[in-house]
Amino acid sequence: MNIKDILPIRDGYGRALIELGKTNPNVLVLDADLSTSTRTNWFAEKFPERFIDVGIAEQNMVDIAAGLSLEGKIPFVTTYGVFVCGRAFDQLRNTVCYSQLNVKIVGSHGGISVGADGGSHQAIEDIALMRILPHMTVVVPCDHFQAYKATMKIAELKGPAFLRLAREATAAITDENSDFEIGKAQVLIEGDDCAVFFAGTIGAEVMKAVELLHKKGIHPTIINMHTIKPIDKDCVIKYAKKFGKVMTIEEHLQAGGLGSAISEVLAEHYPVKVKMLAIYDRFGESGQPHLLLDAFGLSAEKISEEIEKFYS
């Protein structure tokens, strides 16, 4: 698959919001004073009567969205993931998920590739916090094409959903014609040597790593697990049976993320060895995104080395 179209994943979200604004009058967007960064300003410019900037008040934003959903609206609550998942966790748990309200939570700036904003603004525990909540769907698209499709799909769901986005421009590894179904993993490459699952924009680094591995005669199967919850159990079990062990790669803490979700499936249904390439029990740092990825062992070069070691 060719790596192409370098754009921020949040652009796909912004485009989808505009489309939803045109086609669904019940869609509303709320933001917490970061609309330029999250791309919700695109929606605000076209549909100002359906846009609410609450200021830096994430808890209030979630509660306002909960009330709107009870009136039949479909509110998209948007801000940095570290803020909406952390500061508003009580409101998400006790108001939105406990009552199964139709609120969509969009957390931007996920992962360490946020870069210079530093550890305080890098959401690396957001997937863990959201996937433990009953009734919550958790989607982590890999590029701007998939972010567009994921936004359109979660608008159709009845109930709470969390969508994780990132800030930096990222190479697209899917295209506008690629299939996307919530809860159904996407097999990008069928290889003969090993199984590698990833989630999110780290997929661009994974695809670069594949090119390095091909030069060494190693041909991994690459699976885009864009939906962490509900996870595609059949896909996980299928490739665990085929290769006898699996590897997971994510720009998230090792605890509670994609690797944990896959390990839970395999522990219950088909126990095999799992290697989790993730962030190990530390916070992020300020720096250039590509340097941070390398420092945290998530650059294409480091990924290819880890895959080769695990399967050798």
Side-chain angles (χ1 to χ4, degrees), residues 252-272:
H252 184 273
L253 286 172
Q254 180 193 36
L258 169 69
S260 294
I262 285 179
S263 296
E264 289 165 13
V265 172
L266 294 175
E268 185 173 1
H269 297 285
Y270 194 81
V272 298

Side-chain angles (χ1 to χ4, degrees), residues 50-258:
R50 286 191 272 156
F51 176 78
I52 303 171
D53 191 332
V54 303
I56 305 173
E58 291 82 6
Q59 297 97 331
N60 290 343
M61 178 168 62
V62 172
D63 278 343
I64 293 169
L68 290 167
S69 73
L70 290 171
E71 295 298 318
K73 304 301 181 184
I74 307 173
F76 278 74
V77 169
T78 314
T79 186
Y80 290 3
V82 71
F83 300 143
V84 71
C85 298
R87 290 176 182 169
F89 184 80
D90 180 61
Q91 287 72 24
L92 291 172
R93 180 188 184 279
N94 288 330
T95 304
V96 172
C97 288
Y98 191 75
S99 302
Q100 301 184 50
L101 298 183
N102 195 23
V103 177
K104 314 307 175 188
I105 314 300
V106 182
S108 183
H109 292 52
I112 53 172
S113 60
V114 170
D117 285 1
S120 64
H121 286 54
Q122 295 167 355
I124 57 173
E125 59 287 285
D126 51 332
I127 295 172
L129 289 169
M130 293 299 99
R131 82 178 187 89
I132 62 171
L133 289 172
H135 310 302
M136 183 72 88
T137 296
V138 179
V139 182
V140 186
C142 66
D143 58 28
H144 67 95
F145 288 120
Q146 200 159 78
Y148 178 91
K149 297 170 189 171
T151 305
M152 302 299 286
K153 290 291 185 181
I154 65 171
E156 298 173 0
L157 290 178
K158 300 297 183 185
F162 174 68
L163 182 68
R164 188 199 214 208
L165 304 177
R167 185 182 75 172
E168 291 300 301
T170 309
I173 57 175
T174 68
D175 59 46
E176 56 189 357
N177 298 315
S178 301
D179 292 336
F180 176 82
E181 181 181 348
I182 288 177
K184 183 70 173 177
Q186 180 184 26
V187 180
L188 295 177
I189 299 174
E190 285 277 10
D192 297 325
D193 296 323
C194 54
V196 177
F197 294 85
F198 76 88
T201 53
I202 196 65
E205 292 298 311
V206 174
M207 297 301 281
K208 293 177 189 173
V210 168
E211 295 180 2
L212 299 175
L213 290 164
H214 283 178
K215 294 177 182 176
K216 298 179 180 180
I218 302 170
H219 296 84
T221 290
I222 303 298
I223 304 152
N224 175 15
M225 192 61 81
H226 50 70
T227 307
I228 308 295
K229 183 184 178 184
I231 200 160
D232 188 343
K233 292 180 182 178
D234 292 342
C235 180
V236 172
I237 295 168
K238 173 184 175 181
Y239 286 99
K241 288 181 177 178
K242 181 175 181 178
F243 294 109
K245 56 184 179 180
V246 303
M247 187 167 184
T248 65
I249 302 173
E250 59 189 315
E251 203 179 327
H252 184 273
L253 286 172
Q254 180 193 36
L258 169 69

